[in-house]
């Protein structure tokens, strides 16, 4: 058991899989010689060589298109998009090509690829480098969507994503990179589509993802002081979605709050709330509440950004209000 | 490069004829309302598909567009399964899920027809990259139109292929039009592909796309170059579509003289004349045509009588497990 | 009062605004000489000249980027994207630039522009030319999202969109182009953010958009035969969203069904369901149900496509089941 | 083209010095933790910004990148409001909503700094198109880096500008690196912008980006061309950044000799020498420097003591009505 940063866990996860499977390769801007702008791929070039770890031009359509083509021809490529905001610059390749190809060819083509990307706010980078875009990926049929909240999950879910025969968008959260956590020794592989109950309690279920998970846990601790027992679930992946764990929790608590960093409209919280409303309506003891970033672009100034992204305080307040 | 052998010559002729008859039938079926949606024919452009297909190795990979029936067929995809796909039948090569714009036969190296302009260029480059990494000796060949040279993905893909010296051949079928707009009204250079080649450190290669021997010769050359590790090529084949852009478009935006001039250069007619000059007997060529008609008739019959895809197939093959579940 | 096709209504709406305001211009692929591949812009070149109606190369990033720049410098441009699927090829410009610019410049920049695009399925075009992508646009803060269901609404909402000082994505539905409807004479201008109650009834509210509206109306007629009174609301725009009309209806019916053509996950139906669950929970007499395209790419074969897109039958069945 | 007048010479010098001192201060504030997030400095590249700004008309429009402090300042944006924006203060030019990568001052023709590579090229073309349609005589000038020439939007924008003969000038500041990767490792031509110009029917123009007179001369030429209706230009200015790509990056991936060589060609030092050769008195130049220091000190003080943006501003200016409501 070693303590690792979330950042280092990325390189560890990739290395574990590159070691095991020679068809795993990695490309992206500054991923090789520089070890990534977030240093998440440090050491991989040295360890696996320039044929398997390769710097690209600034060409996101080429990066994603090339990993698609490579996946069609025997590789299991990983493509890095430096910031998740840049998904927009290659959204056609991601949403219209990669996501749809297996279905449109009726199963002839497999695309075992992973798009890794730095997601989320809190770094004062302003509106074009801070977005949480997991809901974009969730809205596209044919993409799996993973977003780990701890270093151990980074390793396990990254391995799960790389081994998955389907395309996965893997969101690494910028605000978590520097955080540390215990990571078991040896090979770690996690199944996609398994949520984790991080805190058990009887009164309300809080579901969260990535950087919202530690906030949800903190909020739950505060809520306990107010006599509210909040169960916290880390979804870990949006597609596949572990509704079994979600339903089990809500059938116990009869209440649900979602905490998401993406902007409000048509976010993943809405999907979860709708599923529960449709399928567990009669189990609910009160409205489902969503804590989200408001439906605005993200501001750069620290005071404003902190106001925009869901805070522990906002989670606590929202839950207390709905339980009142 | 070698001149085509007599056998290759007959194959080139047969391939063009098969593609021509197949697409003419597709058009008839469209007019009869049996082919739904839309269809983009390569009538008149067969020499490009035939010349390259004949020069390719069986494990080479073809990437093409919605105007890709010729390419997919001539890589060896079964005609009945292609026709079935056009008609949205169960026997379709993609089970009816793809449709006319999305023919794929991975087993034959036909790696898909892409309907969003430009997207398949980086994909083709990626397949070539895998060939390079895995050292398979395969070449990836990517067909697209003149209009495609103005979209960003073209630029990114050709650049990346050049930098990484990938075994990929980009083939621009310049048929003078992007849908209804003449390419020269939206492009500031005369040769939309060839004049851009130097921007990627490549030679501009122009070939008469209606002369199948010329295409075959260029194809051999650029395929060898790629296979030898000398990197990508960008080829511009000048050609013309006999009909409109898609569906029942009569192509009225094209000047009559221009159409007449190109119709007079029909690649099949030109090649038949040349083969006869080479001493091939007319009845041998007639037999090829008769066989092609029979093949098309058969493919049509099989497909027309095939059932619609079963309703259960709606929800299959989204994922590798064969299903479409996004939750447990 | 004239009868007009939905297709012709597009040209009529644009012409009405170009006539009134010389700063209104239109660009796109084949919009000028050819009058548009769907013939929605026929006659405009002849009437307004080549400086105001202009054909472009196949360059969606340039089309959307250029209308953004033009809007910054005194024009009110309309850009056509031939198919809404092509939004993906310029999503960075749309979602990261156009949507965010006013906020990020703290109001210095106004972008009075309209992106018109042919949306939706039913034409057997296959997965890359058939998508309903109104949920993509809804998920991006800073975009207004409009999708008319009738020729009269095409004219009125298009005028409203063109006059709006903010960027609007205007979804024209391919399956409606050939349909006809009465269009009043003279100038028509509709306010964005006004839903319309098309059918009043006491038992359940059905909200729909664009091509789903006629289906919802047909379903309501059938439901009436089964003794269920379904109120039908045409949302007409997703942003701004007319929650007042929605809430008034649900507070009467206490039941809600959404009918949307976009794929299931994180669609606009989820947003509406979540809003109502959160704010009207105690008014609800039963679960909110969503009728959607399943979470799959769209198939080309007619039998399969018809199965995928919500049908009258599916709406009727879903509503009957939830009312049972 | 004229040689710069004596007044222009002094302006060019003052502009470079102001930009230099402003950015040095920004760097200090970053190290002190007062400038949050990130910042991309144009230290060493000031001659490009100064040369163009001096040649532009006040209603011309500048589009630049995250490395755009110089450009925005030299079009006339108030230094205190820029500093306030970097520090995320209420007095910021964008109220703290933009940050270091997003400086805009529309009143001065600084039409924004764009942080996603390539996106602003079509936007700049669009502003030029409006100038063409409205016949305003404005020119749109768009600055970007060498790395940007490999993204699709570059290709689409330059092509469109050429086809429509738009009054736009594309200026590539080739500082040899895209972040940490040398441009020549990811580009198959020597001059990433100039060697691509012929692909759009344009001349490849290369200028010494560390020689402000040379930049000013080229700027006058291409601006006139655009204003005369002769269409766009693509200029490649060779230059170098003194520091790393962003934040505290020490730029260690660059060979020492390369850094030394370029540091010896500091555009400000070079220009001071030239001006002294032209007979301008050193103390006149010293006074310019002193004034710049005072301006920077003042801007820093004002901004450091400005309050944070009020919490209510979080929800303003999403829409033209000043608010952010998406529902009634
Ligand atoms: C990104 C994108 N934009 C627009 C279209 C619509 N469209 C389909 S084919 C076509 C013309 C393509 O012209 P070209 O590349 O010359 O190929 P051709 O059809 O002539 O073979 C257009 C504009 C598309 N499919 N994808
Ligand atoms: C589409 C996109 N990809 C990647 C990035 C990350 N990024 C920011 S600056 C940069 C390098 C840009 O290099 P260049 O164009 O030469 O400009 P310079 O920074 O040298 O001025 C990269 C890759 C980005 N902002 N946008
Ligand atoms: Mg063409
Ligand atoms: Mg650079």
């Amino acid at each position: 058991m070693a303590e690792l940063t979330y950042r280092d866990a990325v390189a560890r996860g990739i290395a574990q899989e590159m070691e095991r499977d020679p068809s795993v390769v990695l490309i992206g801007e500054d991923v090789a010689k520089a070890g990534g702008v977030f240093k998440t791929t440090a050491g991989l070039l040295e360890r696996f060589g320039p044929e398997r770890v390769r710097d690209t031009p600034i060409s996101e359509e080429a990066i994603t298109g090339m990993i698609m083509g490579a996946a069609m021809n025997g590789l299991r490529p990983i493509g890095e998009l430096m910031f998740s905001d840049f998904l927009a610059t290659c959204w056609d390749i991601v949403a219209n090509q990669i996501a749809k190809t297996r279905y449109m060819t009726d199963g002839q083509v497999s695309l075992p690829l992973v798009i890794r990307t730095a997601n989320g706010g809190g770094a004062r980078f302003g509106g074009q480098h801070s977005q949480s875009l997991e809901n974009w990926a969730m809205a596209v049929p044919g993409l799996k969507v993973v977003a780990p909240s701890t270093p151990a999950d980074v390793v396990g879910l990254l391995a799960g994503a790389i081994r998955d025969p389907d395309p996965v968008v893997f969101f690494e959260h910028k605000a978590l990179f520097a955080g540390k956590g215990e990571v078991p020794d040896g090979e770690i592989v996690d199944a996609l589509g398994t949520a984790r109950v991080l805190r058990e309690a009887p009164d309300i279920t809080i579901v969260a993802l990535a950087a919202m998970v530690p906030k949800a846990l903190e909020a739950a601790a505060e809520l306990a002081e107010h006599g509210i027992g909040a169960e916290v679930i880390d979804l870990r992946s949006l597609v596949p979605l572990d509704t079994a764990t979600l339903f089990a929790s809500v059938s116990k608590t009869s209440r649900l709050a979602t905490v998401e960093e993406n902007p409000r409209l048509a976010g993943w919280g809405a999907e979860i709330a709708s599923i529960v409303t449709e399928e567990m309506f009669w189990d609910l003891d009160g409205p489902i509440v969503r804590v989200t970033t408001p439906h605005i672009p993200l501001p750069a100034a620290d005071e404003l950004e902190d106001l925009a992204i869901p805070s522990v305080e906002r989670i606590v307040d929202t839950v207390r209000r709905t339980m009142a | 490069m070698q001149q085509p052998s007599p056998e290759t010559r007959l194959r080139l002729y047969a391939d063009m004829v098969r593609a021509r008859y197949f697409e003419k039938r597709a058009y008839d079926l469209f007019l009869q309302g049996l082919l739904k949606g839309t269809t983009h024919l390569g009538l008149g452009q067969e020499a490009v598909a035939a010349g390259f297909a004949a020069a390719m190795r069986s494990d080479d990979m073809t990437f093409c567009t919605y105007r890709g029936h010729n390419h997919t067929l001539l890589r060896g995809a079964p005609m009945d399964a292609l026709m079935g796909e056009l008609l949205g039948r169960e026997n379709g090569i993609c089970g009816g899920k793809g449709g006319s714009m999305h023919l794929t036969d991975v087993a034959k190296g036909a790696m898909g027809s892409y309907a969003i302009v430009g997207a398949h260029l980086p994909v083709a480059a990626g397949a070539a990259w895998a060939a390079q990494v895995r050292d398979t000796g395969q070449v990836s060949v990517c067909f697209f139109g003149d209009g495609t040279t103005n979209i960003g993905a073209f630029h990114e893909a050709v650049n990346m292929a050049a930098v990484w010296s990938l075994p990929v051949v980009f083939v621009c079928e310049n048929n003078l039009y992007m849908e209804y707009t003449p390419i020269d009204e939206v492009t500031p250079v005369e040769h939309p592909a060839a004049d851009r080649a130097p921007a990627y450190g490549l030679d501009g290669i122009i070939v008469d796309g209606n002369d199948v021997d010329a295409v075959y010769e260029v194809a051999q050359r650029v395929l060898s170059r790629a296979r030898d590790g000398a990197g990508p090529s960008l080829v511009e084949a000048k050609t013309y579509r006999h009909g409109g852009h898609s569906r029942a478009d009569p192509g009225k935006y094209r000047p009559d003289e221009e159409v007449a001039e190109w119709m007079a250069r029909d690649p099949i007619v030109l090649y038949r004349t040349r083969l006869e000059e080479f001493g091939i007997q007319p009845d041998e060529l007639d037999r090829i045509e008769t066989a092609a008609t029979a093949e098309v008739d058969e493919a049509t019959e099989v497909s027309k009588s095939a059932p619609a895809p079963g309703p259960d197939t709606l929800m299959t093959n989204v994922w590798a497990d064969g299903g479409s579940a996004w939750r447990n």
Side-chain angles (χ1 to χ4, degrees), chain A, chain B:
Chain A
M1 196 76 130
E3 237 205 5
L4 225 60
T5 59
Y6 186 100
R7 175 193 322 279
D8 291 337
V10 174
R12 154 113 180 245
I14 298 173
Q16 171 186 302
E17 295 306 298
M18 291 189 87
E19 200 65 71
R20 190 184 61 87
D21 180 350
S23 70
V24 178
V25 293
L26 168 71
I27 63 171
E29 294 157 21
D30 293 317
V31 297
K33 274 204 257 174
V37 296
F38 296 108
K39 299 289 170 247
T40 45
T41 55
L44 295 175
L45 170 68
E46 293 71 16
R47 194 154 153 205
F48 299 102
E51 180 135 84
R52 295 181 65 192
V53 181
R54 204 157 179 185
D55 288 320
T56 68
I58 310 177
S59 306
E60 279 76 9
E61 287 197 288
I63 293 170
T64 48
M66 300 245 317
I67 61 171
M68 171 170 166
M72 292 172 91
N73 193 23
L75 296 183
R76 294 185 96 85
I78 307 169
E80 175 177 305
L81 298 177
M82 202 183 281
F83 286 78
S84 66
D85 313 72
F86 310 160
L87 276 167
T89 65
C90 52
W91 196 234
D92 176 54
I93 306 285
V94 177
N96 286 338
Q97 314 299 335
I98 288 175
K100 296 179 174 41
T101 293
R102 180 185 291 278
Y103 185 78
M104 287 176 53
T105 63
D106 204 22
Q108 290 185 61
V109 174
S110 266
L111 295 177
L113 61 83
V114 177
I115 297 171
R116 296 175 38 245
T117 190
N119 194 47
R124 295 34 175 136
F125 286 165
Q128 296 183 340
H129 281 69
S130 306
Q131 295 172 84
S132 282
L133 297 177
E134 57 276 11
N135 60 326
W136 287 12
M138 186 187 207
V140 177
L143 298 177
K144 293 184 175 170
V145 185
V146 179
S149 72
T150 68
D153 277 3
V154 166
V155 179
L157 291 171
L158 197 40
I162 293 168
R163 296 186 195 189
D164 198 283
D166 289 309
V168 179
V169 186
F170 191 86
F171 290 99
E172 297 160 12
H173 201 292
K174 291 194 284 291
L176 299 175
F177 277 141
K180 288 188 171 184
E182 295 291 328
V183 179
D185 299 328
E187 188 181 89
I188 318 180
V189 188
D190 250 346
L192 308 188
T194 52
R196 196 167 271 162
V197 181
L198 295 179
R199 188 181 204 277
E200 295 191 44
D203 300 332
I204 185 166
T205 302
I206 302 181
V207 295
L209 196 72
M212 295 299 105
V213 172
K215 293 193 184 184
L217 285 170
E218 239 187 278
E222 263 191 50
L223 286 164
E225 291 167 23
H226 293 99
I228 297 175
E231 177 143 319
V232 177
I233 296 178
D234 179 355
L235 286 176
R236 306 204 310 159
S237 68
L238 294 175
V239 181
L241 185 68
D242 184 355
T243 49
T245 299
L246 174 70
F247 288 177
S249 177
V250 175
S251 67
K252 180 174 77 176
T253 61
S254 304
R255 293 268 190 174
L256 178 63
T258 60
V259 185
E260 67 198 304
E261 193 176 327
N262 52 216
R264 190 165 190 87
L265 297 190
W268 62 257
E271 182 58 40
I272 304 252
S274 301
I275 292 170
V276 172
T277 299
E278 178 155 359
E279 302 185 37
M280 304 193 67
F281 184 79
W282 304 109
D283 294 293
L284 289 172
D285 282 351
I288 298 173
V289 289
R290 289 180 292 157
V291 182
T292 75
T293 296
H295 207 62
I296 58 171
L298 276 178
D302 31 13
E303 290 84 356
L304 294 181
E305 193 182 29
D306 286 342
L307 273 176
I309 296 174
S311 62
V312 173
E313 194 189 341
R314 188 135 59 90
I315 302 169
V316 170
D317 287 353
T318 308
V319 170
R320 289 187 66 192
R321 222 172 321 111
T322 194
M323 303 292 286
Chain B
M1 293 302 126
Q2 309 127 268
Q3 284 285 309
S5 66
E7 297 72 47
T8 301
R9 287 223 158 88
L10 288 177
R11 172 189 167 166
L12 290 169
Y13 188 71
D15 271 1
M16 290 197 289
V17 168
R18 292 173 65 234
R20 171 72 53 94
Y21 290 10
F22 174 75
E23 287 209 312
K24 283 197 147 179
R25 181 66 52 85
Y27 187 69
D28 291 344
L29 294 168
F30 182 82
L31 294 183
Q32 289 165 38
L34 288 172
L35 195 171
K36 312 289 173 52
T38 184
T39 191
H40 303 71
L41 305 178
L43 291 170
Q45 305 186 190
E46 296 89 351
V48 182
F52 268 92
M56 286 170 79
R57 216 166 77 175
S58 68
D59 62 345
D60 287 340
M61 297 166 289
T62 295
F63 292 83
C64 58
T65 70
Y66 50 89
R67 200 181 307 289
H69 306 162
N70 297 346
H71 296 292
T72 311
L73 178 70
L74 300 191
R75 286 307 309 285
M79 194 185 277
D80 54 352
L82 295 182
M83 190 62 90
E85 192 62 31
L86 298 195
L87 301 189
R89 304 285 86 192
E90 188 189 69
N91 70 323
I93 190 96
C94 300
K97 287 174 176 168
S100 167
M101 298 205 282
H102 300 288
L103 305 179
T104 301
D105 188 352
V106 168
K108 300 293 183 183
M111 307 302 283
S113 319
Y114 299 77
I116 298 194
V117 161
H120 64 310
L121 279 78
V123 181
W129 168 48
Q132 183 185 65
V133 171
R134 296 173 51 228
D135 202 14
T136 61
Q138 296 160 288
V139 179
S140 176
V141 182
C142 182
F143 300 93
F144 54 93
D146 44 283
T148 304
T149 63
N150 291 328
I151 200 161
F154 163 86
H155 180 68
E156 295 193 12
V158 182
N159 184 66
M160 191 94 150
V163 174
W164 289 13
S165 209
L166 298 177
V168 56
V169 176
F170 297 104
V171 184
C172 175
E173 298 186 62
N174 182 355
N175 61 11
L176 310 190
Y177 289 84
M178 57 158 277
E179 299 212 343
Y180 313 135
T181 300
I183 189 66
D184 60 13
E185 287 184 11
V186 289
T187 312
V189 289
E190 189 185 349
H191 306 293
D195 289 348
R196 265 88 182 249
Y200 313 103
L202 302 176
D203 294 333
I205 301 174
I206 294 177
V207 63
D208 178 351
N210 282 20
D211 178 342
V212 72
D213 283 342
V215 172
Y216 178 69
E217 194 273 328
V218 165
Q220 285 182 290
R221 185 150 52 86
V222 294
L223 285 162
S224 306
R225 174 182 148 89
R227 236 183 288 282
D228 294 349
S233 297
L234 177 55
V235 175
E236 179 168 336
K238 302 282 184 194
T239 184
Y240 203 73
R241 54 172 153 76
H242 284 177
H245 167 73
S246 68
R247 295 196 270 187
D249 166 30
K252 284 295 177 220
Y253 40 85
R254 307 189 303 182
D256 289 344
E257 321 79 73
E258 180 184 283
V259 176
E261 196 180 296
W262 280 95
M263 290 306 266
R265 298 199 62 253
D266 182 325
I268 296 180
V269 176
L270 287 182
Y271 205 52
R272 185 169 170 127
T273 309
R274 186 179 302 162
L275 293 185
E276 291 182 8
E277 281 164 18
F278 276 125
I280 295 179
Q281 293 306 310
D283 58 350
E284 188 163 0
L285 300 172
D286 291 344
R287 272 198 300 278
I288 284 175
E289 293 170 12
T290 309
T293 303
E295 190 186 4
V296 172
D297 285 343
E298 162 84 13
T300 308
E301 276 328 298
V302 167
S303 300
K304 274 167 80 170
S305 58
D312 49 304
T313 67
L314 180 71
M315 302 301 285
T316 60
N317 284 328
V318 172
W319 307 118
D321 66 8
S324 57
W326 47 269
R327 57 178 273 190
N328 59 20

